[in-house]
Amino acid sequence: TLPYVVGEGRRVIGNIERVSNLFLTKTVYSVLLAVLVGMAGLSAKVFGTDPLLFPFQPIHVTIAAWFTIGIPAFVLSLAPNRERAHTGFVRRVMTSALPSGLVIGIGTFTSYLLAYEGRASTVAEQTQASTAALITLLVGALWVLAVVARPYEWWRIGLVTVSALAYVVIFALPLTRKAFMLDPSNVAATTTALSIGLAAAVLVEISWWVQGRILGEPRRLWRSD
């Protein structure tokens, strides 16, 4: 009986840590975006410039969580996990979620600023700016999922791949673009957003390796028995 009990304990503790990384990363970049937009609004009042709108429509926040947090977190929480439990849960989660959330939040805000044309812009231009910000956020958040899913097994690679392809489909089909208020037709804004998103992904990857050095935990890309 005891090996089964120990295995269940490892599964619960290990999977809670993975899922916590996803949710806390979202919390960090959501709060950061709200603060940055609020500070931009205050500076606009002081200097009499055009105030900044919040980057996303409510539907954008919903679809961003579908395949970067919601469905992957459900799968990862139920997956088998034979890794030993270690002390320092809060430290490990925070040293992972804080840098990732800050990188994604700053990258998303930067992407939006570069694409935003001001309140005088048309509805199409505002949608293009929101879409650019969403692209940056999705690229960074998907890479956080790719990091959290390590060490890889075939089904974890499949989970990350399916999540990424789901967003490709959403952005590719005219019906879903209309339903979710997306407009990636501005090539310059979309290209810039992708570039910033890839840069954010690189920084998330670097922070994962640095975290391992700080905590003294060896990093493994692939699971071994």
Side-chain angles (χ1 to χ4, degrees):
T1 303
L2 285 178
Y4 172 77
V5 173
V6 172
E8 281 296 291
R10 288 178 177 179
R11 183 178 70 86
V12 171
I13 294 173
N15 291 346
I16 285 177
E17 184 171 332
R18 293 181 188 278
V19 173
S20 298
N21 278 323
L22 292 177
F23 280 96
L24 286 177
T25 298
K26 179 190 176 183
T27 301
V28 172
Y29 68 65
S30 298
V31 171
L32 180 60
L33 279 173
V35 171
L36 290 175
V37 172
M39 291 175 61
L42 290 176
S43 64
K45 290 181 180 180
V46 172
F47 296 105
T49 57
D50 196 18
L52 188 68
L53 294 173
F54 191 75
F56 303 124
Q57 298 292 336
I59 190 63
H60 294 160
V61 180
T62 301
I63 63 174
W66 279 352
F67 299 104
T68 61
I69 299 174
I71 296 175
F74 176 77
V75 175
L76 291 173
S77 66
L78 299 177
N81 192 330
R82 291 180 289 275
E83 297 178 12
R84 289 187 176 185
H86 301 283
T87 57
F89 170 85
V90 174
R91 184 187 179 196
R92 285 197 307 276
V93 171
M94 295 307 295
T95 54
S96 175
L98 274 175
S100 300
L102 290 174
V103 166
I104 294 173
I106 294 173
T108 301
F109 187 71
T110 303
S111 179
Y112 185 61
L113 282 180
L114 294 175
Y116 186 60
E117 299 290 343
R119 284 184 176 269
S121 60
T122 64
V123 175
E125 290 173 337
Q126 292 180 3
T127 303
Q128 289 168 359
S130 297
T131 302
L134 183 62
I135 290 172
T136 300
L137 186 146
L138 291 178
V139 174
L142 282 170
W143 200 258
V144 171
L145 173 61
V147 167
V148 168
R150 295 170 183 170
Y152 291 134
E153 301 176 65
W154 68 267
W155 66 267
R156 294 186 182 187
I157 294 177
L159 175 64
V160 176
T161 303
V162 169
S163 298
L165 289 177
Y167 286 118
V168 173
V169 171
I170 289 175
F171 276 83
L173 297 179
L175 180 63
T176 52
R177 288 203 302 265
K178 181 178 180 181
F180 298 133
M181 303 175 67
L182 302 172
D183 185 5
S185 61
N186 188 329
V187 177
T190 301
T191 302
T192 301
L194 281 172
S195 301
I196 296 175
L198 291 174
V202 170
L203 291 176
V204 169
E205 179 71 16
I206 292 173
S207 71
W208 184 71
W209 290 98
V210 171
Q211 182 203 22
R213 294 292 298 272
I214 293 174
L215 299 179
E217 298 178 352
R219 291 309 194 192
R220 295 181 295 121
L221 294 178
W222 300 93
R223 190 183 73 82
S224 61
D225 294 331

